[in-house]
Structures are given as structure tokens and as C-alpha cells.
Amino acid sequence: MKRFRLAALLAAAAIALLPATAQADVTYPDPLPLTGQQIIHDPTVIHLESGGYAAYSTGGVIGARLSKDLHHWDDAGNAFAQPPSWWYEYNDTGDPWAPDISYRSGRYWLYYAVSSWGTNHSAIGVATSPSGLPGTWTDHGKAFTSETTDTWNAIDPAVIRADGRLWMAFGSYWTGIRMVELDRTTGKAIPGATVAHLATRPDAPYAVEGPYVLKHGRYYYLFASYDQCCAGVNSTYKIRVGRSTEVTGPYVDSTGKPLLEGGGDLLLAGHGRYIGPGGESVFRDHGRDWLAYHYYDAEDNGTPKLGLNRLRWTPNGWPAVL
């Protein structure tokens, strides 16, 4: 799970005094009905070239789920049989978080984060696979790192190609969402590359994380998770979005408010049993865009589960969930 920070823990304690229904907003559509292994956190989903779907997530050694139809999901073990040795530089248990899967140059690419709660001594790693299936990944080490002297946190990666170049959005608290350019061959950050600033909050602890960037039409869309995750039915996670004509920003919401000034259109929030949606990613399947995320099931003791919703695009070019 993504790490708790002191301020977030205090916020969660205060939220725990409120009933979960206080967060409900029944105007949001429910996720796609699923069967099988639904427990997941921070999902990244892809339609495999060989057919079927793979989802990777926080938990285990990057937990894996497989599906033939998006509706029924089976537990498929882990991306790796055991943690690569360098992960232990960042936590004692070799615990990875928030992966991102993509396909380019004939290979699948898996990015993920390793860190410890409450610190930005963090790293984003990269692995490749010919099939995208669990057990086939080769780890290539660190793609990007952050230290306690940095004003950003190298977790929650999300990779996008733009104008022949490769970029990675990342970030959690520590002034919010950032972006760095990657070498297209190695998949690792270009040495000395400028770290762009995409989104933040005006108030500490700058509770925005888990970015995902998508190109649609002439715009790049930045999705991010705001507020508190990882507190079961007391989570206040929600997904907001902004857009820009350039991948590195500036991103603004539909009112023109910059995401660097706390802007962001609310795309999905808790409603009914589906509490605290976040840890989102977007994948394309048969010409349609899908939003993948986790939510905390209020009817199952706050267990984190996989949420899938179709995305539609309004005439003004903004995403909405179906």
C-alpha cells in the first residue's frame, strides 16, 4: 500500500469520526461488475497482444491478475518470484508499490516504486518482458531516484510517449506531481534532465499523488489521486483531472484554474459502497478508454478492490465515467 504520512494519519483519525456515508455521492456510476479475485491496490491494466488482460498492483512482489474478458479475474501470482536485491536499499521487506505497464518497441515495460513510509528516499525501477505475463519479467534496476534533499518523491510512475520522446510522470505529496524525460532505449531517466512540475496543492501536506497522463485529441490529460488513501472505509481518495496542449504542462481544469494552484476537475469520488476511489490508470481496449482504480468496499470491511469504468469524452473534450 502507499505509505501513510504523519499528516495523513492525523487526517485519517479525524475522518474516522465521520460515517462513511458522509462521503457518498450517488451521482457517480458504479464500477463494472466483476467476479473472481477482485482484491487489488493501485492497479495498472493492459490488453495483451496475445489476447486477454493483465493487471499488476501494489502488494506481493508486484501482484498479478489475469482475465479473458475484463469481468472475471484470476490470481496469477507475482511479476517476480522474489524481490531484486536492490529493492532492500529502500525498505526492509523489498516491498514494491504502484506499478505502471505499457507496450512499446516489441516489449512490455513495467515501472514500479520502492520506498518506505514517511520518506522520499525512493526509487522507481524498470523491467521488461516479451509477453507481459507474470514470471517473465527481467529487472533493469533503477530508472529514477529521489533523496531527502529533493522536493519531490520518486514513486507512482506513469509513462507516456509524446512527439517521439518518452516521459514519466510521478510523485506523491512532497509538492505533488512531477515529470522527467526518459531515454527511449534504456527506459531510464536522462541524466541531468529537467524535472517538470505538473500539479500540487496550496496546503500542506500537498495531498496529491498517483498520476497518469493520457493523450486524447490535441490534449494531454493528467489524472491524479487527491486526499487520503489506505484508510479503508475512512479513505477520502478521489480522482481529479486537468489538461494541457504540452505533455509537460501547464495543466488546467475546465475553469482554467492551474493544477499547480490546486485546480482539477473532480472525475470520480466515493459513493455508496465504493469508498475512496484512486490509484488510477487508463488503458485502451478495442478503441475505448477504460479507467482502472481501487476502491474500498464498505460492504466488505473496507477491502480494496478493482474498479473499472468506461471513459466517455464530452463535446468539450473532457473525460467522464460511464
Side-chain angles (χ1 to χ4, degrees):
M1 303 293 179
K2 292 176 183 174
R3 69 194 160 288
F4 294 103
R5 301 132 183 113
L6 178 58
L9 284 169
L10 294 174
I15 293 164
L17 300 176
L18 300 174
T21 53
Q23 303 171 52
D25 184 340
V26 295
T27 64
Y28 296 103
D30 293 346
L32 187 74
L34 303 180
T35 59
Q37 177 54 275
Q38 302 174 48
I39 298 174
I40 207 165
H41 210 274
D42 308 322
T44 180
V45 179
I46 195 168
H47 188 185
L48 298 170
E49 295 290 308
S50 59
Y53 305 85
Y56 289 94
S57 66
T58 297
V61 197
I62 308 180
R65 313 281 186 271
L66 295 176
S67 175
K68 295 179 180 179
D69 58 8
L70 279 185
H71 292 270
H72 182 84
W73 292 85
D74 293 314
D75 191 333
N78 299 280
F80 299 100
Q82 60 185 11
S85 60
W86 69 265
W87 291 8
Y88 293 98
E89 298 175 32
Y90 294 91
N91 60 58
D92 293 337
T93 57
D95 181 28
W97 301 334
D100 172 74
I101 191 171
S102 57
Y103 181 80
R104 63 181 178 85
S105 303
R107 292 190 290 174
Y108 292 88
W109 297 73
L110 189 69
Y111 289 80
Y112 56 85
V114 283
S115 187
S116 299
W117 291 357
T119 179
N120 62 334
H121 172 61
S122 309
I124 293 170
V126 60
T128 57
S129 163
S131 67
L133 293 172
T136 67
W137 293 95
T138 299
D139 190 64
H140 301 292
K142 303 171 191 178
F144 187 70
T145 64
S146 61
E147 299 298 338
T148 56
T149 53
D150 292 317
T151 56
W152 54 79
N153 193 11
I155 71 168
D156 296 0
V159 173
I160 180 172
R161 285 174 285 181
D163 299 324
R165 299 163 73 178
L166 191 65
W167 302 86
M168 182 175 68
F170 66 92
S172 172
Y173 291 59
W174 274 275
T175 72
I177 307 304
R178 303 280 181 154
M179 177 172 273
V180 68
E181 188 174 0
L182 305 180
D183 183 291
R184 291 180 297 172
T185 301
T186 66
K188 299 182 178 183
I190 295 174
T194 299
V195 177
H197 201 182
L198 306 188
T200 190
R201 305 277 292 271
D203 53 325
Y206 314 108
V208 53
E209 59 187 4
Y212 191 86
V213 181
L214 170 72
K215 179 74 179 294
H216 179 80
R218 67 188 187 95
Y219 290 103
Y220 295 93
Y221 292 81
L222 171 61
F223 300 78
S225 299
Y226 284 62
D227 297 324
Q228 170 65 26
C229 84
C230 312
V233 295
N234 297 310
S235 301
T236 59
Y237 240 18
K238 54 186 67 70
I239 301 170
R240 293 186 179 272
V241 63
R243 72 185 185 187
S244 171
T245 55
E246 301 291 335
V247 71
T248 54
Y251 287 86
V252 300
D253 64 21
S254 61
T255 71
K257 185 174 183 178
L259 269 62
L260 282 171
E261 297 176 11
D265 287 357
L266 186 57
L267 180 70
L268 185 63
H271 58 286
R273 70 187 290 181
Y274 309 102
I275 305 301
E280 76 292 330
S281 59
V282 179
F283 66 99
R284 194 159 182 82
D285 180 42
H286 294 102
R288 298 174 175 177
D289 293 317
W290 288 81
L291 181 72
Y293 56 93
H294 68 254
Y295 66 89
Y296 301 94
D297 190 344
E299 297 182 7
D300 190 14
N301 300 311
T303 300
K305 294 183 179 179
L306 176 62
L308 295 173
N309 285 80
R310 278 269 314 280
L311 283 181
R312 68 176 179 88
W313 296 91
T314 70
N316 293 328
W318 288 94
V321 290
L322 290 173

